Amino acid sequence: MKANNRGWVKNIAIIFLAVLLALTFFSNTILNASLPEVSGQQAGGGEISTAVRGTGTVASNEAFSVSIDRTRRIKKVLVRQGDTVEAGQVLFELEPTDSNELKQAEATLADLRYQFNMKLLNIKPNDYRTDEVAIARLQESLNDAMTRRDEAIVAQSTLEVAKAADFAAQDKLAEANDEIALINEQINALNAPVDPSTLTGEVLRLYNVWQAAKETSKHALRAQEDAQAAVNNPTSVAEATQHMATMQEVVRGALNDSILVAAEDAVKATYVGEELALYEDFIAKKAELAGAFSSIISRELRAFLDYTPHTAPALVAAVTDVKNADAMFKAAQDALTIAQGDSSILPNAQEAYRKAQRAETDAKEAYDVAYEAENKELTAETAGKKSELNAKLSSKKKDLVAIQRAATDAQTALQKATQEANFTPEQAEDAIKSARRALEDKMLQLETAQDSAATTAAITDLELGKMRKQIEDQELEIARLKELEVGNDVTTRYGGTVLSVVSIAGDNTMPGVALATIEINGKGYTLSFTVTNEEAQRVRVGDIATINSWGANGVTCTLSAIKVDRDNPSRRKLLEFDVTGDGATAGQNLDLSIGSRTQYYDMIVPNSAVREDSTGSFVLIAQDKRTPLGTRYIATRVDVTVQNSDSKSTAVSGEFGWSAFVITTSSKPITPGSQVRLVG
């Protein structure tokens, strides 16, 4: 068992040593298979030629292009490249149709005429009748507003006059009433105080009638004053209705049973004859009288109150309350009637007051006659004064009637003037301003529309003028095109050699585009190419170039001009050559060299060996390195300075010798320090 194990270990050791030996012998071959392959040459001395080289195309000094300025279809091509042609010879035959330019020009003219006619049809006359009618109506409104303003001024003036007249009439009425009151006071002063308790019989009755008439006159005056106040200070219907309801409650209180009973008990024993019958009638209608709220006090109650004696204080108080309540209720009722628009209340009150005054006067006179008949002791002097005052009083009362009528007329005129002056001059001025502003706005709107229409019309005229000019120009263009229409043949003006034929049968010609190029015989040839500014400095006008191309026997190229290259004026120049000799032909490509200079350098390398990076120029040399397994080659960088170069080689200087192998090409990209394999 142990012998078998030692045999197995021995075999493994033999195999391992065999593999190791094989790897040792073939390591160089395996490694080289993966290395970049490089080629190059030994560095050494040599010459650098500094000739300027370039390639150009021979061109005729004078050639022209055959073209027409119309678009026509080519029917036949009658020449080929290289043919010799004579002046006037037919080169191309065209289809017998008008040119596209003439057709297009005629179509353009038709379109211009159509647009012009459409422009004329779209011109509409300006119609301002609606605006003018609106302006006329606004002017009428302004005139009406000014007329209303004038009327308002007149109405306002009339109102002021009416107010002054009413004030004067009322003042005069008050003055007349004051005069009458003064006369009455004077008459009363002449009359000795009369104690009603001393009066009896007919005199007492007449006294009571006079006192009742005085009371009636007083209430009539109060009713007139209340009516005047209601006219001067009118209230609303609602307020007047509320006030009348309040006065109804006052009448209700004045006519309650307790007051009437008090009056009945106080005077029952004083009534005799007609008075007793009147009292009994009052008692019978007491219930009806107590509920009379919607009208003035009934005739029966009024008669009873008027004939009531003034000896019972309770009765006097009852009578006074009832009469005052009656007066207030009557005033409230009149105020409501006035608020409702009835203008007859004040005149009626004034007429009632006049009647009451006459009744008072008549009652007073009757009482005075009866009283004087029983009192003879009145002196003639007192009677005379009283007669004079009574006459004066009668005259004043007559005058009062006219004054009251004038006051009524003034009040009526004031009411009318107030109604007519409801539109004030200030309101009228505001209406005028609004009407004038509306008129001015409308006129400005019309003016703006007219200005805009005028501008539009001017623009339209300009556009029409422009369109007319375009039509005229197009007509002239068509006439010119018709004059210039070529026939169906395209000929050459000069004789020479056909350098090229661009078009074929079926093509359309284009204005200015060559159909063929013809070289005019005997005019010579030229050739040109560009060089750097440095290269241009090495040549001179007159230098003869060396032709490096085949098939140029008998051709001479002489430098005729050095010009600035228009494509790169700062860095390059254009060299122009005169090409002579029988072997020169247009279109020939020639490779030239000129200004050749040769110089020997100690170290030259192929141009492909020189490399550059950000630090400068350098070359890579294959430096050998010996190892136990063989020689290895390492790409080593050597910085160089470029001294000169030509199309093949570059003269350099650097830290390497002639025997150095300079790398020119590699199968893979290499960098300094890379291991490489030499080939070739």
Side-chain angles (χ1 to χ4, degrees), residues 201-486:
E202 183 63 17
V203 176
L204 177 59
R205 188 187 69 80
L206 292 175
Y207 177 80
N208 289 334
V209 171
W210 172 42
Q211 294 302 316
K214 283 177 64 177
E215 191 70 17
T216 300
S217 178
K218 182 177 71 173
H219 284 287
L221 176 59
R222 179 175 177 181
Q224 175 183 294
E225 292 173 347
D226 291 339
Q228 186 68 54
V231 171
N232 293 339
N233 301 290
T235 60
S236 65
V237 174
E239 292 175 341
T241 302
Q242 179 63 33
H243 183 61
M244 189 181 75
T246 302
M247 291 303 100
Q248 286 178 342
E249 294 300 323
V250 173
V251 172
R252 187 197 305 272
L255 292 176
N256 60 50
D257 289 343
S258 62
I259 294 177
L260 293 177
V261 170
E264 176 184 348
D265 293 340
V267 300
K268 181 176 181 181
T270 64
Y271 289 96
V272 293
E274 182 181 353
E275 297 174 4
L276 180 57
L278 183 62
Y279 172 75
E280 292 174 348
D281 183 61
F282 163 69
I283 294 301
K285 296 183 177 181
K286 182 172 61 174
E288 175 187 349
L289 295 173
F293 304 129
S294 61
S295 64
I296 62 174
I297 299 176
S298 65
R299 181 181 62 81
E300 292 82 357
L301 181 56
R302 173 65 65 186
F304 166 73
L305 296 175
D306 288 344
Y307 283 98
T308 299
H310 289 259
T311 56
L315 184 57
V316 171
V319 170
T320 301
D321 289 342
V322 171
K323 288 182 177 181
N324 287 338
D326 175 50
M328 289 187 291
F329 176 78
K330 182 61 170 64
Q333 191 176 47
D334 290 344
L336 175 60
T337 304
I338 292 172
Q340 292 172 340
D342 190 347
S343 60
S344 64
I345 297 301
L346 179 60
N348 292 340
Q350 292 171 339
E351 182 62 25
Y353 176 57
R354 287 193 292 271
K355 290 181 180 180
Q357 283 183 320
R358 287 196 295 270
E360 179 186 356
T361 302
D362 293 342
K364 178 66 169 62
E365 290 177 354
Y367 164 72
D368 289 341
V369 171
Y371 181 80
E372 290 178 358
E374 291 187 2
N375 297 277
K376 302 293 187 178
E377 67 276 7
L378 289 175
T379 62
E381 181 180 0
T382 301
K385 290 181 180 181
K386 290 174 63 177
S387 177
E388 181 181 352
L389 289 173
N390 286 328
K392 187 177 180 180
L393 179 61
S394 178
S395 175
K396 290 295 183 181
K397 288 183 177 181
K398 290 179 181 179
D399 294 340
L400 180 62
V401 174
I403 292 173
Q404 289 175 332
R405 187 176 297 109
T408 302
D409 294 340
Q411 186 65 40
T412 303
L414 176 60
Q415 293 176 350
K416 181 180 179 182
T418 301
Q419 294 175 352
E420 293 178 351
N422 60 347
F423 191 62
T424 66
E426 291 76 13
Q427 293 173 324
E429 287 294 342
D430 292 340
I432 290 174
K433 290 179 181 178
S434 298
R436 182 176 288 115
R437 189 179 300 111
L439 176 61
E440 292 173 350
D441 291 345
K442 192 63 178 179
M443 294 178 67
L444 179 60
Q445 180 182 351
L446 176 59
E447 183 179 353
T448 302
Q450 291 174 335
D451 291 343
S452 177
T455 302
T456 302
I459 294 174
T460 302
D461 290 341
L462 291 175
E463 292 176 347
L464 289 174
K466 180 180 178 181
M467 296 174 74
R468 290 190 189 95
K469 184 64 170 59
Q470 290 174 339
I471 291 173
E472 293 173 359
D473 293 344
Q474 193 65 22
E475 290 173 343
L476 294 175
E477 177 64 14
I478 290 175
R480 186 185 71 82
L481 291 175
K482 287 182 177 179
E483 291 177 358
L484 296 178
E485 270 298 289
V486 298

Side-chain angles (χ1 to χ4, degrees), residues 18-263:
V19 171
L20 181 62
L21 182 61
L23 289 175
T24 300
F25 282 106
F26 294 101
S27 62
N28 190 37
T29 303
I30 296 172
L31 178 62
N32 287 339
S34 63
L35 293 177
E37 296 180 350
V38 299
S39 62
Q41 66 181 38
Q42 297 292 332
E47 294 180 347
I48 296 295
S49 177
T50 58
V52 177
R53 301 189 63 171
T55 301
T57 302
V58 178
S60 175
N61 273 338
E62 189 165 353
F64 76 97
S65 299
V66 178
S67 64
I68 61 174
D69 57 355
R70 299 289 179 272
T71 303
R72 297 280 296 276
R73 183 177 293 277
I74 298 175
K75 183 177 181 181
K76 292 181 181 179
V77 179
L78 303 179
V79 294
R80 292 182 297 178
Q81 183 177 355
D83 288 353
T84 301
V85 296
E86 301 294 334
Q89 181 176 334
V90 178
L91 306 181
F92 300 91
E93 185 178 336
L94 306 177
E95 295 286 353
T97 58
D98 290 336
S99 66
N100 290 350
E101 285 76 14
L102 180 58
K103 294 177 182 178
Q104 182 61 40
E106 290 175 343
T108 301
L109 177 60
D111 183 62
L112 289 174
R113 286 174 174 169
Y114 171 79
Q115 293 180 11
F116 181 80
N117 292 330
M118 289 299 295
K119 190 75 173 179
L120 290 176
L121 291 175
N122 288 330
I123 297 176
K124 304 298 182 182
N126 297 317
D127 187 1
Y128 302 110
R129 288 177 296 178
T130 301
D131 293 330
E132 291 171 351
V133 170
I135 289 175
R137 291 176 178 173
L138 290 174
Q139 184 64 56
E140 291 177 0
S141 299
L142 176 60
N143 295 338
D144 292 343
M146 296 175 70
T147 300
R148 292 192 66 190
R149 187 267 315 275
D150 296 339
E151 292 175 350
I153 293 174
V154 173
Q156 190 69 26
S157 177
T158 302
L159 177 61
E160 296 300 327
V161 172
K163 286 181 178 179
D166 179 66
F167 181 80
Q170 296 300 327
D171 187 62
K172 189 172 183 181
L173 178 61
E175 182 180 355
N177 286 326
D178 291 342
E179 291 178 353
I180 291 174
L182 180 60
I183 294 173
N184 284 328
E185 289 178 0
Q186 293 174 348
I187 292 174
N188 292 334
L190 292 175
N191 293 327
V194 176
D195 184 2
S197 62
T198 63
L199 299 179
T200 59
E202 183 63 17
V203 176
L204 177 59
R205 188 187 69 80
L206 292 175
Y207 177 80
N208 289 334
V209 171
W210 172 42
Q211 294 302 316
K214 283 177 64 177
E215 191 70 17
T216 300
S217 178
K218 182 177 71 173
H219 284 287
L221 176 59
R222 179 175 177 181
Q224 175 183 294
E225 292 173 347
D226 291 339
Q228 186 68 54
V231 171
N232 293 339
N233 301 290
T235 60
S236 65
V237 174
E239 292 175 341
T241 302
Q242 179 63 33
H243 183 61
M244 189 181 75
T246 302
M247 291 303 100
Q248 286 178 342
E249 294 300 323
V250 173
V251 172
R252 187 197 305 272
L255 292 176
N256 60 50
D257 289 343
S258 62
I259 294 177
L260 293 177
V261 170

